[in-house]
Amino acid sequence: MKRNTWQREAVRGALDANDGFVSAQALHSALHATGSPIGLATVYRALADLAVKGDADSLQSPEGESLYRACSTNLHHHHLICRNCGLTVEIEADAVERWAKDVAAQNGFTQAAHVVDVFGLCAACTAKAAASA
Amino acid sequence: MKRNTWQREAVRGALDANDGFVSAQALHSALHATGSPIGLATVYRALADLAVKGDADSLQSPEGESLYRACSTNLHHHHLICRNCGLTVEIEADAVERWAKDVAAQNGFTQAAHVVDVFGLCAACTAKAAASA
DNA sequence: GGGTTACTTGAGAAGTGTTCTCGATCACGT
DNA sequence: ACGTGATCGAGAACACTTCTCAAGTAACCC
Ligand SMILES: [Mn+2]
Ligand SMILES: [Mn+2]
Ligand SMILES: [Zn+2]
Ligand SMILES: [Zn+2]
């Protein structure tokens, strides 16, 4: 049985307050900035739990860090992520789903899972980069 | 100018001898097993160089480890990977390429890159798993 | 070939993200 | 309230990767 603690609520709240993908450490810093004394290990545990329960999506940044996000739907979908500010657009593509399943089956693979993410610079960050260049 | 050392050749050779994706540490172990005294840092450096030159493909395992592979083509493609034995099938899918480009453009994202990998259990590993179950 | 020089190597230290340990704390059913 | 076991948090431990720097050596020049 899972207990309700202010720590778990704080993590969920911080996730909800962020619209992009964030790392455990970034979330911990954000919480500390608001005065919360929550421990880093607890943030990691809470995020892992949320991901397992399906209440949060997680992915690895190109640099290998685990990022989390409270998504609007718990249906399977993918993401278009700004590598500068973390802004995220949820995308779904049945064609890609079918393709992934088919390519695995055609090669005799079972228990197939896929990683499909698109990283780029969002419009705002693109404009900012152009201005400072 | 980049020098030719037996270390670099050894890494390239070990990569070529492997048909699946392997980690730097696994490659280092394999080399040591053959009696090579090559250093771990050197393996990391050689693999990074190969990846930059386009002579090796790299991706992150679901566990966050960087894996490398000498692919048969240096054209853009993706992979179907056995998460048990590392066996890899190279796949290309123009439809996915187009989709990735379009979804980024439609949302105002620039400099889009995509991560598309399929992980599963190859036929052999599937059979082995069934037999031991 | 011998000398010069800058690139490369490797052992270990350091860095980074994440998980583990374990005594203290606290949620929750009774 | 109480008891009990889940949860917390500080720091240690871990796994992977990169850095440091003294020693080694490939490549260029003569
Ligand atoms: Mn999908
Ligand atoms: Mn592609
Ligand atoms: Zn952005
Ligand atoms: Zn396999």
Side-chain angles (χ1 to χ4, degrees):
Chain A
M1 57 296 272
K2 196 129 284 191
R3 293 184 184 172
N4 294 326
T5 65
W6 65 262
Q7 286 95 335
R8 278 196 217 285
E9 281 183 29
V11 170
R12 181 187 285 263
L15 248 204
D16 287 340
N18 243 299
D19 26 282
F21 273 89
V22 279
S23 69
Q25 312 218 22
L27 217 52
H28 181 241
S29 292
L31 284 163
H32 263 212
T34 70
S36 171
I38 191 171
L40 177 58
T42 302
V43 174
Y44 272 104
R45 286 189 281 239
L47 287 174
D49 287 350
L50 288 172
V52 165
K53 272 210 310 173
D55 288 347
D57 281 7
S58 71
L59 58 82
Q60 292 193 4
S61 74
E63 291 76 34
E65 205 175 2
S66 286
L67 304 181
Y68 297 85
R69 179 167 189 265
C71 282
S72 60
T73 171
N74 26 18
L75 290 159
H76 176 87
H77 62 279
H78 297 275
H79 299 100
L80 170 59
I81 305 145
C82 177
R83 65 175 133 254
N84 181 239
C85 70
L87 173 72
T88 298
V89 178
E90 294 172 20
I91 52 186
E92 54 184 85
D94 296 341
V96 174
E97 303 303 323
R98 265 193 307 277
W99 168 83
K101 181 178 291 191
D102 290 348
V103 79
Q106 284 164 16
N107 288 279
F109 278 61
T110 61
Q111 300 176 40
H114 55 268
V115 178
V116 174
D117 296 303
V118 183
F119 291 88
L121 274 187
C122 73
C125 287
T126 298
K128 208 175 299 179
S132 71
Chain B
M1 62 290 273
K2 196 129 283 188
R3 291 185 187 172
N4 294 327
T5 65
W6 65 262
Q7 286 95 336
R8 279 197 217 285
E9 280 182 28
V11 170
R12 180 187 285 263
L15 247 204
D16 287 340
N18 242 298
D19 25 281
F21 273 89
V22 280
S23 68
Q25 313 218 20
L27 217 53
H28 181 242
S29 292
L31 284 163
H32 263 213
T34 72
S36 170
I38 190 171
L40 177 58
T42 302
V43 175
Y44 272 103
R45 285 188 282 238
L47 287 174
D49 286 350
L50 287 172
V52 165
K53 272 210 309 173
D55 289 347
D57 279 7
S58 72
L59 59 82
Q60 292 194 3
S61 75
E63 291 75 37
E65 205 174 3
S66 284
L67 305 180
Y68 297 85
R69 179 167 189 267
C71 282
S72 61
T73 171
N74 28 19
L75 292 159
H76 176 85
H77 62 279
H78 296 274
H79 299 100
L80 170 59
I81 304 144
C82 176
R83 66 175 131 252
N84 182 240
C85 70
L87 173 73
T88 298
V89 178
E90 295 172 19
I91 52 185
E92 53 184 86
D94 295 341
V96 173
E97 304 304 323
R98 265 193 307 277
W99 168 83
K101 182 177 293 193
D102 289 349
V103 78
Q106 283 164 17
N107 288 279
F109 278 61
T110 60
Q111 299 176 40
H114 56 267
V115 178
V116 173
D117 297 303
V118 183
F119 291 88
L121 274 186
C122 73
C125 287
T126 299
K128 208 174 299 178
S132 72

